[in-house]
Structure formats: C-alpha cells, structure tokens
Amino acid sequence: SRTLVVKATAGADAPERCAQAFTVAATATAAGAAVSLWLTGESVWFALPGRAAEFELPHSAPLPDLLDSVLAAGRVTVCTQCAARRGITETDLLPGVTIAGAAAFVEEALADGAQALVY
C-alpha cells in the first residue's frame, strides 16, 4: 500500500499553508491511505494538548478535528530539532505523537510506494 508522508513546515505564522498540510493528511487518511504527518517549525506546537484548538482559519476545517483523524488512523511525528528549540519533550505531547529526526523522515519519504508532500 502507498504511504503519503506530509510535512507541515508552518503553524500560526502561515495559517493557510499549515491548514493545507493538515487537510491533505486528514483527507488522505479518510480515503484509506497510510499517512505520516510530520510537524516541523511552528506547527510543532499543535502536537501539545489544546494548542490546535487555538488555531483559526476561515473556511477551513477545525485543526483539532483534522489532527484527531490523522492520529486515529495514521502517524504524527514532531521534528527533533524543532521540539528541542522550543523546549518540547515527549512528555509534553498528545498521546500517540512521537519525536524523530531527519533520518527517520528521509527513510519514510524514500520508502517504496511513498509520496512525500511538503507544505
């Protein structure tokens, strides 16, 4: 089966780009694809409890709903360096979210049948 690897590189600093990443990941999950959502840059904050609820973008699905759907059926990973720069550790994260580095992202993106999208 094919895997869609989605990297979100923005958060509230670029809300439309952020919402696109979460929307595509959630839509792919709903379509039955294997999805791996990577949170980098300012998007890492949404891996903390309650933070996705603070995100608002008109005409976009609520970020907590999108994140919940990906967490229910896919994987969500926070960038190691991005987390460290913000003082975020594994114990701060929502259940099911992990922290990993560039080597893990590259391995997922280069796997047979994988498609990587960066927003």
Side-chain angles (χ1 to χ4, degrees):
S1 73
R2 296 190 57 123
T3 300
L4 183 64
V5 183
V6 178
K7 180 183 272 197
T9 63
D13 55 327
E16 287 184 304
R17 194 154 31 105
C18 176
Q20 287 170 8
F22 280 79
T23 299
V24 167
T27 301
T29 300
V35 175
S36 176
L37 175 61
W38 282 74
L39 305 180
T40 71
E42 286 295 289
S43 72
V44 302
W45 292 113
F46 301 129
L48 277 63
R51 294 299 286 268
E54 298 171 8
F55 181 88
E56 288 186 19
L57 182 64
H59 309 291
S60 179
L63 207 63
D65 296 351
L66 298 173
L67 181 56
D68 286 348
S69 68
V70 176
L71 273 171
R75 281 198 313 275
V76 178
T77 307
V78 168
C79 157
T80 302
Q81 290 183 22
C82 302
R85 280 190 283 272
R86 289 160 180 82
I88 297 170
T89 65
E90 293 263 3
T91 58
D92 299 316
L93 303 176
L94 290 164
V97 179
T98 58
I99 294 177
F105 175 80
V106 169
E107 183 178 346
E108 284 188 22
L110 293 179
D112 285 343
Q115 172 72 52
L117 300 174
V118 178
Y119 289 90

